[in-house]
Amino acid sequence: MPVDVGLARLSNDLIAGGIVAYSVAFLGFALDAAFGEGFDKKASASAEQAVVPAQVPALVGASTAGSLPEGSTSADATGAAAGAGAADGAGARGASTSSDKYKLPRRSGLFAVVCTVIGWLLEGGAILSRGLSVHRLPWGNMYEFTLALTFASVTAFLVLMTRQRARFLGVFLMAPVVLALGLAVLVLYVPAAPLMPALHSYWLAIHVTAAIVASGVFIVGTAATVMFLIADRYALAAAAGKPVRFTGLARMMPDRDVLDRTAYRAYAFAFPIWTFAVIAGAIWAEYAWGHYWQWDPKETWAFITWVVYAGYLHARATAGWRGRKAAYVAMLGFATILFNFFVVNIFISGMHSYAGV
Amino acid sequence: MSDTHVDIDEDALSAEVSKLDTIPESPDEYGTRQRARRTPGGSAMSVLRWAWYSLTSMRTALILLFLLALASVPGSILPQRGGSDPLRVSDYYAKHPTLAPILDHLGLFNVFGSAWFAAIYLLLFISLAGCVLPRSRRHLRAMRLRPPAAPRNISRLPVSTSWHTDQSPDDALGRAHELLRRKHFRADRADNVDSRADRADNVDSRADRADNVDFRADRADTVDSRADRGTGPTSSVNAEKGHLRETGNLLFHVSLLVVLVGIALTSVFGFTGSALVKEHDGFTDTTIDYDSFSPGRFVNIDKLPPFSFTLNKFEATYQRGGPANGDANSFAANVSWQPSLGAPPRDYTIEVNHPLSTQGTNVYLANHGYAPHFIVRDGSGHSFDETVPFIPQPGTSQYDGVVKLPDAKPQQLGITGIFLPTASANPVNGMPTSIFPAPDNPAVVIGVFSGDLGLNSGLPQSVYALDTAKMSRIATTTLRPGDTLTLPNGAGTVTFVGYDQWAAFNITHDPGKPVVFGAVCATVLGLVMSLAIRRRRLWVRASRDDSGRTLVEVGGLTRTDASGGFEDEFKRLVTALQSVVPPTAQDG
């Protein structure tokens, strides 16, 4: 079937609009983070927290009888409980207690969320029209994959915001999203065209979609991990009484435990999907090439990513590796995804050579 | 065992055990392990034990897993002999003449078949098995245990609440018990239990301690707060949920082992081969019909599945026009095949994502090309009818091949040819070149050589290359179908009759595949279970307080709640409990 040029052009216009909306959203999030009231921390307990890695899930005021967290004396535990309660309720509470000085930044935060949704709709429209123009799922080359990937990331971010307070991720998520989309449009772009025969299979839908969803959620986790590392650095330095530069960066972030848990949630969600993507790929390879695993460079790097995130999940459950070290492992995992996407796709030839670049 | 003793023991243990948080082994065993690990000791036995415990620790397994990832990196960057394009290894040799032999010696051109790669995954396999199998046994035991008794002071659990109710303690507990059972908790009533006595029992029970690793947190509290409360007997409902978390965790790890078993099955009982088949030619599943064949160690090559097929027609369609001009749209090999000799033939179309499957063996379409048909008449008037497969040249739509005529007289003849599906003159140099992969305007460019083909030298020769060392070129030309070239000096004629197409097939028999497939499905299931389920305990105690009213205390505990959410569940459970055991009015 011929390519519908009009729809393909519409797709390009929509993605341009999407990038603009995301960029504005990024600015809004940044404004909110820089001049807003900040995201509450367990200020009083931060010194203790810095030394004792949180082994017990943060207490969020669940108990009506004023229960106490593990291993703390009643005096500082009360402070911690109050702080935790504050952290939980900050979004709602902020509305009633914050002074006028925070009005504009908070509005900009909400404005940023609205812009994100607009950008998300535009990008969704771009992907849809691209798909309609070529009569197939539009993830057959690096350009299309990048669109789908960032879309998955923003979707995960939006979904996360409906389930927990996650606006703080905005700056650190929108930055890579805008960068990736810019790269897609300027460097990776290929005109709409049908697929090569090797990709004619419903496994394209299963395998690649799973890989996109998993990678997109991994990006959200990575944004949280980067923030965790910054916040952790700040907290450690503060606990040691050292002067800290760029304290504002840490001030805009929620408590480390919240960041760590947000990251873990993302990774724990994405990891089984990534596993499934690799397996679906193996099944497809079995159909297409007669071997379910051939150590093709792309397969190899998907496996390496899997191993590193498996390592992260184990590390996080192992005392002594929790916190910073586990976060480094997660960062390494993301680095392997980037390597697989950019270096393997462009510089290493293999049976997955569909980049179209 | 005195109380003080228990306290110290517990503290030390929880510190130790938390290092291996996800391995709930029994503390005693863990202590032995730690000792064994620290001291390799003098005797051979203790060295062995030390080696075994070290190998099967989670840290070792993790290190091996990372090593496996690290080891596969060179395999993805350096060209591999078993990879999609083995010729790249010789290219690499040509470009790096000093480095390449060193890399080769280290096995870096065949990473995934190298001894050190095998060593890593075999060690990983043993490490995993040594860790997971005993752990499964312990888990089976733990699954049969009842929930542990309520801690003395419920209000010091990480989440807890209490309220007064008008119901009697017995009534309240009965309702709570029923509710928790309805919510699929494993729930027990414990009536008039003396907490102190019960606690001592608990600590003594080894199996229960093994089971309690996830809940280590409650101990210190329980012990601390002993003084707070009277020691009279109390009644409670002890409930627990989420054993499936560990079940899923173990399912995941055991499935990984099964995947490796499946892979091993294939490498021992499977075979893989390839065959190039021209249109109208047939293939029978015997070793002589394969161009390459690599059987597993225990494959009986005389008893391969007895199927056969004939390639009737090969069809390819290509993108015409647009930016992707010339890209292939579809490939299809129309075959008639028989599962065994004498069976009625059936028609089938083998496509890229659509193999032919029979008797556990799959036939995949791997490649395709053209086979020009020549009739060559030699100087003595003898004629040869040759249809020879030409091989696609990467990056072009041209196909190269040679025709060898060792029986030609007076001298042997050889032809090198380039098949051009859509011939056109190169705009730069005027040379014939192919501009499209479909046979729109087929032509063949040939060079004819006469002399000694060198077939009797004893050295193996490729059928796709001509050794022209002892031959001389006698003609070069371009032929279209039907054209005849007359060779000089009465050496004969070459007629380009036309062409057939050919298809190359990969034929594999993979007996471990169902095992691997089942295991990887179980892997995902296990993962989802172990990541989504949380194990938690809930205790409800109801007693008469000093004023004679019924005080209901509820407390909950979880350790494996990495992504949070237990507090919310606890709130919901409390709401549900309060709907069956309502608080008294003034309590609010």
Side-chain angles (χ1 to χ4, degrees), chain B residues 110-250:
Chain B
N110 189 18
V111 168
F112 305 108
S114 71
W116 48 269
F117 195 78
I120 296 173
Y121 71 69
L122 282 177
L123 279 176
L124 182 61
F125 180 90
I126 297 167
S127 171
L128 208 56
C131 164
V132 166
L133 298 181
R135 192 171 157 181
S136 305
R137 211 173 47 231
R138 277 197 298 277
H139 178 58
L140 283 180
R141 217 161 46 210
M143 295 250 285
R144 289 194 297 269
L145 290 174
R146 301 311 304 178
R152 187 171 302 268
N153 193 341
I154 281 181
S155 68
R156 301 212 49 189
L157 288 168
V159 285
S160 66
T161 184
S162 64
W163 66 89
H164 285 103
T165 182
D166 294 334
Q167 294 171 0
S168 71
D170 190 53
D171 207 14
L173 285 180
R175 286 163 188 254
H177 187 217
E178 195 201 320
L179 176 91
L180 289 172
R181 288 182 74 96
R182 220 172 37 234
K183 289 190 177 291
H184 305 289
F185 273 83
R186 183 178 298 200
D188 284 348
R189 287 261 324 235
D191 286 343
N192 298 319
V193 180
D194 178 10
S195 319
R196 182 183 290 263
D198 178 66
R199 178 53 52 181
D201 277 351
N202 237 347
V203 172
D204 270 356
S205 150
R206 242 178 235 180
D208 183 58
R209 280 163 67 173
D211 181 48
N212 268 335
V213 171
D214 278 350
F215 300 96
R216 198 56 59 189
D218 66 323
R219 291 306 159 102
D221 280 331
T222 326
V223 176
D224 281 351
S225 57
R226 267 190 202 162
D228 301 357
R229 269 179 103 63
T231 53
T234 56
S235 301
S236 63
V237 173
N238 312 323
E240 177 164 23
K241 196 172 169 180
H243 275 99
L244 282 178
R245 177 192 181 86
E246 177 70 356
T247 308
N249 193 1
L250 290 169

Side-chain angles (χ1 to χ4, degrees), chain A residues 263-288:
Chain A
Y264 175 81
R265 282 183 140 178
Y267 298 136
F269 180 81
F271 185 70
I273 301 178
W274 185 260
T275 311
F276 174 76
V278 172
I279 292 168
I283 297 172
W284 187 11
E286 167 67 28
Y287 271 109

Side-chain angles (χ1 to χ4, degrees), chain A residues 58 63-64 67 70 197 200-201 261 264-265 275 283-284 286-288 290 292 295 300-301 307 317-319 322 348, chain B residues 18-19 21-22 58 65 72 76 112 158 160-161 221 253 328-329 352-353 364 510 513 517 527 531 562-563 567:
Chain A
S63 77
T64 44
S67 63
E70 278 302 319
H200 286 182
S201 169
R261 199 163 344 127
Y264 175 81
R265 282 183 140 178
T275 311
I283 297 172
W284 187 11
E286 167 67 28
Y287 271 109
Y292 54 78
W295 296 107
T300 306
W301 279 92
V307 165
T318 308
R322 243 178 235 128
I348 301 179
Chain B
S18 62
K19 287 183 197 153
D21 206 295
T22 61
M58 186 167 85
L65 197 61
S72 49
S76 73
F112 305 108
S160 66
T161 184
D221 280 331
H253 287 94
N329 282 338
V352 175
N353 283 315
Y364 302 89
D510 200 343
K513 201 163 60 188
F517 180 73
L527 254 187
L531 289 173
S563 55
E567 288 86 0

Side-chain angles (χ1 to χ4, degrees), chain A residues 141-143 145-146 180 183-184 186-190 296-298 301 336-357, chain B residues 76-77 88:
Chain A
N141 52 49
M142 271 180 89
Y143 168 73
F145 195 88
T146 308
L183 199 66
L186 296 176
V187 182
L188 304 173
Y189 180 76
V190 285
D296 177 71
K298 194 112 198 178
W301 279 92
T336 64
I337 293 182
L338 287 183
F339 187 92
N340 204 353
F341 190 58
F342 288 109
V343 181
V344 174
N345 269 357
I346 298 174
F347 298 107
I348 301 179
S349 77
M351 301 181 76
H352 277 83
S353 301
Y354 308 129
V357 184
Chain B
S76 73
I77 293 169
R88 285 174 48 219

Side-chain angles (χ1 to χ4, degrees), chain B residues 22-88:
Chain B
T22 61
I23 306 185
E25 48 198 330
S26 87
D28 297 327
E29 198 172 320
Y30 182 73
T32 320
R33 273 180 169 231
Q34 281 298 75
R35 274 192 297 283
R37 208 175 284 155
R38 258 184 254 122
T39 51
S43 76
M45 206 48 218
S46 65
V47 170
L48 275 178
R49 192 182 302 133
W50 171 81
W52 175 251
Y53 284 140
S54 302
L55 178 61
T56 56
S57 76
M58 186 167 85
R59 186 177 312 165
T60 308
L62 271 179
I63 290 172
L64 287 170
L65 197 61
F66 273 110
L67 268 182
L68 197 64
L70 202 62
S72 49
V73 172
S76 73
I77 293 169
L78 292 170
Q80 296 293 301
R81 291 222 165 78
S84 55
D85 190 0
L87 287 178
R88 285 174 48 219

Side-chain angles (χ1 to χ4, degrees), chain A residues 94-349:
Chain A
S96 58
T97 60
S98 67
S99 65
D100 282 351
K101 138 179 160 194
Y102 293 135
K103 217 176 231 169
L104 179 72
R106 199 176 52 254
R107 275 194 190 150
S108 84
L110 290 177
F111 174 69
V113 174
V114 172
C115 282
T116 308
V117 173
I118 293 172
W120 179 75
L121 290 173
L122 288 172
E123 189 178 13
I127 293 171
L128 186 70
S129 52
R130 174 98 175 180
L132 289 175
S133 80
V134 288
H135 322 285
R136 61 175 168 82
L137 281 178
W139 29 89
N141 52 49
M142 271 180 89
Y143 168 73
E144 292 170 351
F145 195 88
T146 308
L147 257 58
L149 186 66
T150 49
F151 186 72
S153 258
V154 177
T155 308
F157 175 49
L158 292 174
V159 169
L160 195 64
M161 277 201 286
T162 66
R163 298 178 68 102
Q164 68 170 69
R165 224 160 45 82
R167 212 174 69 200
F168 56 83
L169 283 174
V171 178
F172 282 79
L173 186 70
M174 292 328 280
V177 163
V178 170
L179 271 178
L181 283 176
L183 199 66
V185 171
L186 296 176
V187 182
L188 304 173
Y189 180 76
V190 285
L195 282 180
M196 61 180 77
L199 294 179
H200 286 182
S201 169
Y202 56 88
W203 285 103
L204 176 73
I206 299 170
H207 163 62
V208 185
T209 307
I212 286 169
V213 171
S215 311
V217 179
F218 276 137
I219 291 174
V220 175
T222 306
T225 299
V226 170
M227 293 180 74
F228 167 80
L229 283 170
I230 296 171
D232 189 57
R233 192 190 182 85
Y234 168 73
L236 286 177
K242 288 188 201 142
V244 189
R245 282 190 295 171
F246 307 118
T247 51
L249 209 56
R251 197 185 59 84
M252 62 177 251
M253 294 177 187
D255 187 81
R256 281 177 300 163
D257 294 346
V258 176
L259 291 168
D260 186 40
R261 199 163 344 127
T262 306
Y264 175 81
R265 282 183 140 178
Y267 298 136
F269 180 81
F271 185 70
I273 301 178
W274 185 260
T275 311
F276 174 76
V278 172
I279 292 168
I283 297 172
W284 187 11
E286 167 67 28
Y287 271 109
W289 303 325
H291 304 275
Y292 54 78
W293 196 267
Q294 297 193 99
W295 296 107
D296 177 71
K298 194 112 198 178
E299 287 173 2
T300 306
W301 279 92
F303 169 74
I304 292 171
T305 301
W306 186 85
V307 165
V308 174
Y309 279 112
Y312 164 81
L313 292 177
H314 284 89
R316 200 177 178 282
T318 308
W321 275 82
R322 243 178 235 128
R324 254 192 125 66
K325 284 188 194 163
Y328 285 135
V329 176
M331 293 307 293
L332 181 67
F334 187 65
T336 64
I337 293 182
L338 287 183
F339 187 92
N340 204 353
F341 190 58
F342 288 109
V343 181
V344 174
N345 269 357
I346 298 174
F347 298 107
I348 301 179
S349 77

